[in-house]
Amino acid sequence: MSTQRRLARRLTQLYVGLALYGASSALLVRSGLGLEPWNVLHQGLAERTGLSIGVVLTIVGAAVLLAWIPLRQRPGLGTISNVLVIGMAMDATLALVPDAHGWVPRVSLMVAGIVLNGAATGLYIAARFGPGPRDGLMTGLHQLTGVSIRLVRTGIELTVVATGFALGGTVGIGTLLYAVAIGPLAQLFLRVFAVPAASGGSAVVATGQPRGAILRP
């Protein structure tokens, strides 16, 4: 595959993945059965501020990105795009998809949201345009404190879930199933959407992705 075609494919994967991530998060909101950890916080803040959850997601993403400065993390195209695209895609999907009523529609939206989120994660990470803002926070704290990635990530997500729940965010079976399923799903879709390695190096766009990192909106 030529360098130009690889770059075009990576850019397509980046933006399709980000848009699908926002859409998948919206499906989980409409299911009413629980959100991903960070979106519990975003929803809680949206309830308190009157802003849309997509706008809150964008504001929090930008604030987290500012925290990269003292942590000496380097953003990539994917990092900036993450902040700008996911919230818009989430709000657009929420405007199109109504609340689900009845267990079958709600469970269907929950399952579709989780699976689509895994596919979006695979698309985004496989594009290799840099980590999302929250992944950079995780790796930066790991480097600063020496605490393992697993413990840092667990601590961050427990904190945001507890804070979001206290603010009125939705925690439920969907939150638990997401936590259990997203790792295997992301690993599967990373293989499916892996971009073939280039035969020669290219410095067109800075890349990089922490090992084992999972996209957080």
Side-chain angles (χ1 to χ4, degrees):
M1 183 182 293
S2 69
T3 300
Q4 290 79 8
R5 289 181 62 189
R6 286 185 72 256
L7 181 58
R9 173 173 168 175
R10 290 173 59 209
L11 285 168
T12 300
Q13 286 194 196
L14 171 66
Y15 290 106
V16 170
L18 292 175
L20 290 180
Y21 199 103
S24 69
S25 295
L27 295 183
L28 289 172
V29 171
R30 291 304 188 214
S31 78
L33 295 175
L35 305 177
E36 319 98 287
W38 277 95
N39 275 334
V40 175
L41 175 62
H42 299 148
Q43 187 184 48
L45 289 171
E47 292 286 339
R48 295 303 180 103
T49 62
L51 298 172
S52 73
I53 189 171
V55 170
V56 170
L57 187 154
T58 301
I59 293 172
V60 171
V64 171
L65 192 55
L66 289 176
W68 282 34
I69 297 173
L71 295 174
R72 298 182 179 179
Q73 296 293 290
R74 181 180 299 176
L77 175 63
T79 312
I80 305 301
S81 299
N82 182 299
V83 173
L84 298 176
V85 174
I86 293 180
M88 291 190 294
M90 188 174 184
D91 276 348
T93 305
L94 287 171
L96 294 173
V97 179
D99 287 325
H101 301 284
W103 280 105
V104 172
R106 294 175 70 192
V107 170
S108 298
L109 282 179
M110 178 190 69
V111 172
I114 292 173
V115 174
L116 185 60
N117 193 279
T121 298
L123 279 164
Y124 171 88
I125 294 179
R128 295 182 293 109
F129 278 108
R134 292 132 184 103
D135 284 329
L137 176 65
M138 173 185 67
T139 55
L141 288 173
H142 160 67
Q143 293 169 8
L144 180 66
T145 64
V147 178
S148 71
I149 286 285
R150 180 179 299 177
L151 288 178
V152 170
R153 180 170 164 183
T154 299
I156 291 173
E157 298 208 354
L158 287 175
T159 299
V160 299
V161 166
T163 304
F165 181 71
L167 292 172
T170 304
V171 176
I173 185 63
T175 310
L176 177 61
L177 288 177
Y178 179 90
V180 171
I182 190 59
L185 284 171
Q187 185 175 4
L188 168 64
F189 286 110
L190 276 168
R191 291 197 296 265
V192 171
F193 298 121
V195 179
S199 56
S202 174
V204 175
V205 181
T207 65
Q209 183 70 30
R211 179 179 293 182
I214 297 297
L215 168 66
R216 298 295 177 202

